[in-house]
Amino acid sequence: MNIGQAAKATGLPPKTIRYYEDIDLVRPGRDANGYRAFCEADLHKLRFLGRTRALGFSVADCRALLALYEDDSRASAEVKAIAAKHLDAIAAKIADLKAMESTLSHLVATCAGDGRPDCPILEDLGG
Amino acid sequence: MNIGQAAKATGLPPKTIRYYEDIDLVRPGRDANGYRAFCEADLHKLRFLGRTRALGFSVADCRALLALYEDDSRASAEVKAIAAKHLDAIAAKIADLKAMESTLSHLVATCAGDGRPDCPILEDLGG
DNA sequence: ATAAGGGTTCCAGCAACTGGAAGGTCAAGA
DNA sequence: TCTTGACCTTCCAGTTGCTGGAACCCTTAT
């Protein structure tokens, strides 16, 4: 199976798949003509990576999770630790964004948004 | 006033201030010895940039907002448009993160996190 | 024969800094 | 006076996770 087919099968762009090979996340074989040859196990890994990335894990975390996934003697505590830490990071980001949203929505609400120069948004930003 | 003083006065790291000069967001003068010389207007700009960046605006948006700030004949509609668009982007990010948080918190809650290999997190990620 | 539509590699660039190296400047203390 | 330490300068490289593009090869159909 070519990279194009693998891309369709996994939902990842070909460029991304090449990149994942480049950083050794996946190691497809090669056909005689030099084309990458993806087997089912490769596709499975790629889908795994797609899901972990979609959950916002860093590539480093994805690598660690993949290694744990393939290690039958893993301790689930290791997995949970990575996930819990990421969950904290997500919560922190949400809090940051909510603070920005709160500030900004107040400002936007009070700005007339017409042709005049008076602007509470800029007044606030200017200090 | 040196860059170190300016950094303390604005809360921005010296490296960041140099970077902002590099991309022409601010243009401090120079002393005879080659050191940057920041005036009050420079500090004011830097504080403005610090606040806009803290609200999550891209540097491109910050540049546009700064230009509007310094343009007495601006229309507040332009400012509001930029801010409203950013507000939408923030809301979208929050939604994304909340979805991740929801999925991940369920998974984390169901994982024993002990020494055994059984792991609902990995089972889910594996498909 | 050729054209379209795959595939390959490698290099550059994005955002917004940050770290570090190599070196110039300045003020204070022995 | 010399030196030490804390500044400052420039420039280059690295970060994260891809993405775009150039130049070129392979396969299949017309």
Side-chain angles (χ1 to χ4, degrees):
Chain A
M1 181 180 262
N2 290 0
I3 199 168
Q5 318 263 299
K8 261 172 210 155
T10 61
L12 296 173
K15 281 270 188 190
T16 298
I17 298 177
R18 289 195 194 97
Y19 172 67
Y20 286 170
E21 183 189 14
D22 210 48
I23 62 174
D24 272 327
L25 279 177
V26 72
R27 301 166 198 264
R30 295 282 175 151
D31 286 336
N33 58 12
Y35 288 18
R36 287 169 183 81
F38 293 85
C39 66
E40 267 310 314
D42 294 326
L43 297 183
H44 196 77
K45 275 195 197 188
L46 288 172
R47 282 192 209 99
F48 183 97
L49 291 169
R51 286 194 202 97
T52 49
R53 291 288 301 131
L55 284 176
F57 285 101
S58 69
V59 165
D61 279 350
C62 292
R63 189 190 303 277
L65 289 170
L66 187 53
L68 289 167
Y69 183 62
E70 298 187 322
D71 174 9
D72 286 341
S73 69
R74 74 203 160 225
S76 68
E78 281 193 68
V79 181
K80 190 170 182 174
I82 294 174
K85 197 173 168 194
H86 181 48
L87 200 47
D88 284 352
I90 288 176
K93 259 190 204 164
I94 290 175
D96 283 357
L97 287 169
K98 276 191 175 170
M100 293 179 195
E101 185 185 40
S102 162
T103 302
L104 206 50
S105 63
H106 286 311
L107 290 175
V108 166
T110 54
C111 175
D114 55 20
R116 288 171 301 169
D118 316 82
C119 181
I121 301 173
L122 291 181
E123 274 164 34
D124 185 272
L125 292 171
Chain B
M1 179 180 262
N2 286 354
I3 198 167
Q5 317 262 299
K8 261 171 211 156
T10 62
L12 297 172
K15 279 274 188 188
T16 299
I17 298 177
R18 288 195 194 98
Y19 172 67
Y20 286 171
E21 183 189 15
D22 211 48
I23 62 173
D24 272 329
L25 279 177
V26 72
R27 300 164 198 268
R30 294 284 172 147
D31 285 337
N33 57 12
Y35 287 18
R36 288 171 183 80
F38 294 85
C39 65
E40 267 310 316
D42 293 325
L43 297 183
H44 196 78
K45 275 193 196 188
L46 288 173
R47 283 193 208 98
F48 183 97
L49 291 168
R51 286 194 202 97
T52 49
R53 291 289 300 131
L55 284 175
F57 284 100
S58 69
V59 165
D61 278 351
C62 292
R63 188 190 301 277
L65 289 170
L66 187 54
L68 289 167
Y69 183 63
E70 298 186 322
D71 174 9
D72 286 340
S73 68
R74 76 207 160 221
S76 69
E78 280 192 69
V79 180
K80 189 170 182 171
I82 294 174
K85 197 176 168 193
H86 182 48
L87 200 47
D88 284 352
I90 288 176
K93 258 189 204 164
I94 290 175
D96 283 356
L97 287 170
K98 276 191 175 172
M100 294 178 194
E101 187 186 40
S102 161
T103 301
L104 206 49
S105 64
H106 286 310
L107 290 176
V108 166
T110 54
C111 175
D114 56 19
R116 288 170 300 167
D118 316 82
C119 181
I121 301 173
L122 290 181
E123 274 165 33
D124 184 274
L125 291 171

